[in-house]
Amino acid sequence: MRSETGIIGRREDAAALERSRVVLRPFRLPLSPEDRSRWDDLEQRSLLANPFLSSTFILSQPRQRLQECGLQLLTIEREGRWLAAGFFRPERGTKDMPLPHLVALPMLHVYKTGLLIDAAESRTAVHTLWNHLREAGWHGLKFPLFPIGSPLSLLLNAECERRQLGMVTHNQFERAIVSRHQASCHSGISSARLKSLQRGSRALERCGEVNLRFNDATLDGGAAIERFLSLESLGWKGLAGVSLLSNADEAEAFRQIAREFQHQRRICFAELSAGTDLIASMCLFRSESDYYAFKIGWNPEYERGCPGFLLGHLIRRHIGELAGCERLDGCGRQGIFLDHVWDARKIIADAVFPTTRWGSLAAQGSSWGRLALRRLCTLAEIPHCPST
């Protein structure tokens, strides 16, 4: 016999669905103060924190980049509140999903995609979203650089399973992270790397005492920002013209993000010094108890001291001193230098969540086709197999 509580709960869910509406519209600037307030409020209630989905990060991007990305703002709204929000580019079809779908945050300097969604209303919001996308002819959502196994991943996958649709992932890899409760000084670091770190530290000590400082930029905000930009522009990044300072718009966008995050107490610079010389700086963005290593800069004149490796190692050793930090995401691809000094990992992939049966078949068919091509290339021992 069904319980009365269960029946009432389903009636309340149905009523909530009827009052909710999904809106997909071109992202236009300037954004109204009311929408900015709704956005910021939703971020505080979101199931999964993400600084790259904050209003500060998005609205500070160069205007030309926002226009070129062709972003659409997707919101689920009820009674003047946002229950979910995300930024997507419409695609007619790609190799991952050869049917019309939406791709999340296709933008430079974004190292984690996702969706802001009210934790208390998450199931209702996702159910509403899937119904709308199906009726509107969108066959799926694609999230590049998406954290597999996160609360948001589990939520979206559960909706797919409920509808008998198959989530598909591509380009999966393990990203280096540090967890406050799992961090130890030397676990996961090879003996050769430890010896290299010790040699590097001794080399730097010739300039004076080696120190790590977590600078939240409350006292010297503008100076900390400029020090980081200067270090990030040195070496190969500056020579290749890909540093933030290589482009005036990029540099100004970062300054604006940093100033606003500084005001919100959501930015910190991990600064490594040797004597009076600052030799490396890592910019960390914060969302609740999670920090994200946005970028690092170091002075190549101190290359013998391995400043990047040493900075990463010291951050791991002293993560307990980083205010309110539970986890630090390295934001890098597999194989970067942090892999050698941080031993914890999180799984990242390009994730496709179908919203229709046709979308599920298309996404899985594409995945099977790519797998078959890789196997054929392996069997045939083709040295330069086409990229899959």
Side-chain angles (χ1 to χ4, degrees), residues 31 44 51-52 74 88 101 171 196 201 210 217 229 233 240 277 291 329 347:
L31 199 67
Q44 298 298 314
F52 305 107
L74 174 69
F88 297 87
H101 62 285
N171 305 320
S196 176
S201 183
V210 176
L229 283 171
S233 71
D277 297 334
Y291 281 74
D329 186 330
I347 299 175

Side-chain angles (χ1 to χ4, degrees), residues 318-343:
H318 297 281
I319 189 172
E321 301 171 18
L322 187 54
C325 179
E326 295 295 329
R327 288 164 300 276
L328 173 52
D329 186 330
C331 290
R333 285 285 182 181
Q334 190 166 334
I336 67 168
F337 73 98
L338 290 176
D339 286 358
H340 301 282
V341 290
W342 294 359
D343 64 336

Side-chain angles (χ1 to χ4, degrees), residues 13 16-22 75-78 83 121-135 159 162-163:
D13 287 345
L17 286 172
E18 290 180 0
R19 296 196 308 272
S20 304
R21 69 186 187 111
V22 180
T75 57
I76 302 177
E77 305 172 10
R78 186 199 306 152
L83 303 184
E121 301 265 14
S122 59
R123 291 180 59 188
T124 300
V126 169
H127 188 67
T128 303
L129 177 59
W130 251 244
N131 287 344
H132 173 83
L133 294 175
R134 181 191 62 203
E135 294 169 3
E159 185 66 21
R162 194 183 71 80
R163 296 172 184 259

Side-chain angles (χ1 to χ4, degrees), residues 62-332:
R63 182 71 61 94
Q64 184 177 357
R65 172 173 299 145
L66 295 176
Q67 293 173 348
E68 290 174 349
C69 288
L71 289 183
Q72 300 271 322
L73 172 59
L74 174 69
T75 57
I76 302 177
E77 305 172 10
R78 186 199 306 152
E79 298 170 354
R81 298 174 77 221
W82 285 6
L83 303 184
F87 295 87
F88 297 87
R89 180 178 64 206
E91 291 283 359
R92 295 177 62 86
T94 64
K95 62 181 180 181
D96 294 336
M97 166 64 81
L99 290 174
H101 62 285
L102 301 175
V103 179
L105 276 180
M107 202 158 55
L108 191 64
H109 305 316
V110 171
Y111 303 114
K112 172 183 167 183
T113 64
L115 188 71
L116 295 180
I117 189 163
D118 189 325
E121 301 265 14
S122 59
R123 291 180 59 188
T124 300
V126 169
H127 188 67
T128 303
L129 177 59
W130 251 244
N131 287 344
H132 173 83
L133 294 175
R134 181 191 62 203
E135 294 169 3
W138 298 108
H139 294 274
L141 298 172
K142 178 180 176 180
F143 295 94
L145 297 176
F146 186 74
I148 304 300
S150 65
L152 180 60
S153 174
L154 297 176
L155 173 70
L156 300 184
N157 192 43
E159 185 66 21
C160 285
E161 291 182 344
R162 194 183 71 80
R163 296 172 184 259
Q164 297 184 326
L165 308 173
M167 168 191 172
V168 175
T169 62
H170 300 288
N171 305 320
Q172 184 169 303
F173 67 97
E174 293 184 337
R175 176 184 282 176
I177 64 170
V178 176
S179 172
R180 178 179 181 180
H181 300 292
Q182 296 176 344
S184 61
C185 291
H186 303 313
S187 65
I189 305 179
S190 69
S191 57
R193 180 61 59 187
L194 283 173
K195 291 178 181 178
S196 176
L197 289 169
Q198 292 166 359
R199 288 195 300 269
S201 183
R202 288 195 296 268
L204 293 176
E205 286 171 357
R206 295 169 188 164
C207 300
E209 186 178 0
V210 176
N211 284 310
L212 167 70
R213 176 175 73 155
F214 290 118
N215 182 1
D216 64 5
T218 53
L219 297 178
D220 63 345
I225 293 168
E226 295 305 320
R227 287 197 298 268
F228 166 77
L229 283 171
S230 177
L231 286 168
E232 199 262 344
S233 71
L234 300 178
W236 73 268
K237 288 185 180 180
L239 293 173
V242 296
S243 70
L244 294 172
L245 276 182
S246 297
N247 183 294
D249 290 338
E250 295 287 355
E252 187 53 38
F254 175 77
R255 290 187 180 102
Q256 184 173 337
I257 292 169
R259 287 193 295 264
E260 290 200 34
F261 272 165
Q262 176 194 346
H263 179 70
Q264 300 164 19
R265 307 298 289 268
R266 295 183 59 181
I267 193 170
C268 182
F269 296 94
E271 298 180 326
L272 179 67
S273 60
T276 59
D277 297 334
L278 182 69
I279 60 176
S281 178
M282 182 183 288
C283 174
L284 309 176
F285 292 159
R286 180 180 182 179
S287 276
E288 298 179 354
S289 61
D290 289 344
Y291 281 74
Y292 296 80
F294 177 62
K295 287 184 181 293
I296 185 173
W298 55 279
N299 191 334
E301 292 183 7
Y302 296 87
E303 185 174 5
R304 289 189 61 189
C306 303
F309 285 98
L310 186 58
L311 177 57
H313 179 57
L314 292 176
I315 287 172
R316 174 181 170 178
R317 287 181 57 186
H318 297 281
I319 189 172
E321 301 171 18
L322 187 54
C325 179
E326 295 295 329
R327 288 164 300 276
L328 173 52
D329 186 330
C331 290

Side-chain angles (χ1 to χ4, degrees), residues 3-67:
S3 69
E4 184 177 347
T5 301
I7 295 173
I8 293 173
R10 284 191 291 275
R11 286 175 179 170
E12 290 176 347
D13 287 345
L17 286 172
E18 290 180 0
R19 296 196 308 272
S20 304
R21 69 186 187 111
V22 180
V23 181
L24 181 64
R25 58 189 180 274
F27 182 53
R28 298 279 187 259
L29 295 177
L31 199 67
S32 71
E34 294 78 15
D35 279 346
R36 176 75 183 264
S37 177
R38 295 184 185 103
W39 186 351
D40 292 340
D41 179 59
L42 174 61
E43 188 185 3
Q44 298 298 314
R45 297 179 277 115
S46 184
L47 178 69
L48 186 64
N50 188 344
F52 305 107
L53 277 170
S54 70
S55 63
T56 294
F57 185 84
I58 299 292
L59 295 177
S60 299
Q61 294 299 310
R63 182 71 61 94
Q64 184 177 357
R65 172 173 299 145
L66 295 176
Q67 293 173 348

